[in-house]
Amino acid sequence: MSIQPLCASATSSTGAKGLSAFGELLYWNASEQTDSVWANDIGFPSTNHVTYSTPNVRFNWSRGFRGGVAYEVPHFWNLKLSWTHLPTRKSINYVAGDNHIITPEFFSGFLSGDSFSSASLDWQIAMNTIDFGISHNFNAANSLVISPSIGVKEATINQAINLGLNATLFTVPIFSSTEVVKNNFAGIGPTFGIDGKWNFYKDFSVVGNFSTALMWGHWNVNDTYSRPSALAGLVKAATINTKMTNAKLGTPMFQYFLGFQWAYESTYQVKFLLGYEMQYWANQLRAPTFQLLPLHGDLTLQGGTCGISISL
């Protein structure tokens, strides 16, 4: 993974003393394993012998962005406002082997009782968060600064799962069904964190932070399976829909970052940042499956963060 070239495209500006603007490019990977199972592959290799496997999703590495402004007052409270955006997706074409069938994993498709010979998947995730925080610097040592913080986080995480399911008989196509699953989350709540900066050599520093959010979260889940009529009406058209809503107080989210910062002093103070960041969102995937209704799958985001800030 190479993220150094990303730094060259991050820009920002500022125009008031104590005010800074920053931009960060993210190169992250999303994971919901082992809960991102989307189909069942059932094989019948011989009499009284059945095999069973569950295709899973490994999302691609994706680019995102974080930007915002900060206002620092010496010996007083510091304010920071930021927006983070990360989209990611994964597309899969899956063909069952000889003497194998594919059955849907999600609940509406499972209720249909249909089986298939091949399937296609397009799974998209779009995360957006807005963070506002207040912090205060404490000089723990000559070169070490600690900054506890409190704030508010607002977040939306929308997931769209689109399935194409193809049924054949002796290689002859019979019908193609679709299943669309929406797993949308919105939440808001307080955040608590601590930042640290150790100036170990001239203008170079090790920086890190850890924060957690306890949010009121709301999930809206919609699972729709559609089958057309086929074989002169022998296969009946059908639409099966499963809807669920769920709200929970105290939904946790955890985040940490560890990296390096280089500061350059001229007319403006410019800071360059490079490091590793991870976010853990508990119970994000609530899409209904035939095995568990609903899921409580965790979402993990992790990867490189590269940024620049400019201040007076």
Side-chain angles (χ1 to χ4, degrees):
M1 179 184 72
S2 177
I3 64 176
Q4 185 64 33
L6 299 177
C7 292
S9 62
T11 62
S12 58
S13 63
T14 185
K17 188 173 181 62
L19 181 68
S20 63
F22 61 90
E24 297 171 0
L25 290 179
L26 317 174
Y27 191 56
W28 288 1
N29 177 253
S31 175
E32 290 183 305
Q33 296 189 24
T34 57
D35 295 297
S36 51
V37 172
W38 59 277
N40 308 287
D41 186 330
I42 304 172
F44 307 91
S46 61
T47 304
N48 299 324
H49 183 195
V50 178
T51 63
Y52 182 84
S53 62
T54 53
N56 214 312
V57 174
R58 294 181 180 271
F59 290 98
N60 298 321
W61 285 84
S62 303
R63 289 179 173 85
F65 174 80
R66 179 187 291 123
V69 294
Y71 186 64
E72 298 184 5
V73 182
H75 312 296
F76 198 64
W77 295 101
N78 304 320
L79 309 178
K80 185 176 181 180
L81 177 66
S82 65
W83 166 57
T84 303
H85 172 67
L86 180 76
T88 188
R89 72 188 304 171
K90 180 67 175 182
S91 297
I92 297 173
N93 291 310
Y94 192 91
V95 178
D98 294 338
N99 299 319
H100 282 243
I101 60 172
I102 299 170
T103 62
E105 172 73 14
F106 297 108
F107 197 68
S108 292
F110 168 75
L111 288 180
S112 72
D114 295 336
S115 58
F116 305 92
S117 57
S118 64
S120 61
L121 169 75
D122 181 62
W123 193 320
Q124 302 177 50
I125 301 177
M127 182 192 74
N128 288 279
T129 65
I130 295 177
D131 292 271
F132 175 74
I134 302 173
S135 63
H136 184 70
N137 295 338
F138 294 94
N139 293 319
N142 290 335
S143 58
L144 178 63
V145 177
I146 302 296
S147 303
S149 65
I150 59 173
V152 176
K153 178 185 289 290
E154 186 276 334
T156 61
I157 301 177
N158 295 331
Q159 303 195 47
I161 306 165
N162 296 280
L163 286 164
L165 303 158
N166 305 306
T168 62
L169 181 63
F170 302 113
T171 72
V172 177
I174 301 177
F175 63 90
S176 296
S177 297
T178 61
E179 187 169 11
V180 179
V181 183
K182 303 287 187 180
N183 186 103
N184 296 335
F185 166 83
I188 188 170
T191 60
F192 309 90
I194 186 168
D195 294 3
K197 177 182 176 181
W198 175 43
N199 182 211
F200 67 94
Y201 178 74
K202 293 184 178 180
D203 297 322
F204 292 90
S205 301
V206 174
V207 294
N209 64 65
F210 173 82
S211 65
T212 183
L214 298 175
M215 313 175 73
W216 175 86
H218 182 270
W219 285 263
N220 186 12
V221 180
N222 193 323
D223 175 10
T224 302
Y225 174 85
S226 299
R227 179 184 64 215
S229 175
L231 295 180
L234 293 177
V235 176
K236 302 295 184 181
T239 298
I240 303 172
N241 181 252
T242 304
K243 291 184 178 180
M244 294 190 309
T245 59
N246 183 247
K248 183 180 179 181
L249 184 64
T251 300
M253 174 269 181
F254 302 93
Q255 176 270 342
Y256 76 86
F257 171 85
L258 182 64
F260 296 93
Q261 177 183 280
W262 174 57
Y264 174 75
E265 294 283 353
S266 62
T267 304
Y268 300 98
Q269 183 187 64
V270 182
K271 297 177 182 178
F272 297 91
L273 183 73
L274 179 64
Y276 171 82
E277 185 170 347
M278 190 275 282
Q279 295 186 3
Y280 171 79
W281 297 79
N283 301 323
Q284 268 303 301
L285 185 59
R286 299 292 183 95
T289 67
F290 84 94
Q291 298 176 353
L292 185 65
L293 183 65
L295 282 172
H296 286 77
D298 302 330
L299 170 65
T300 302
L301 305 168
Q302 58 89 24
T305 297
C306 172
I308 180 174
S309 67
I310 303 177
S311 60
L312 288 175

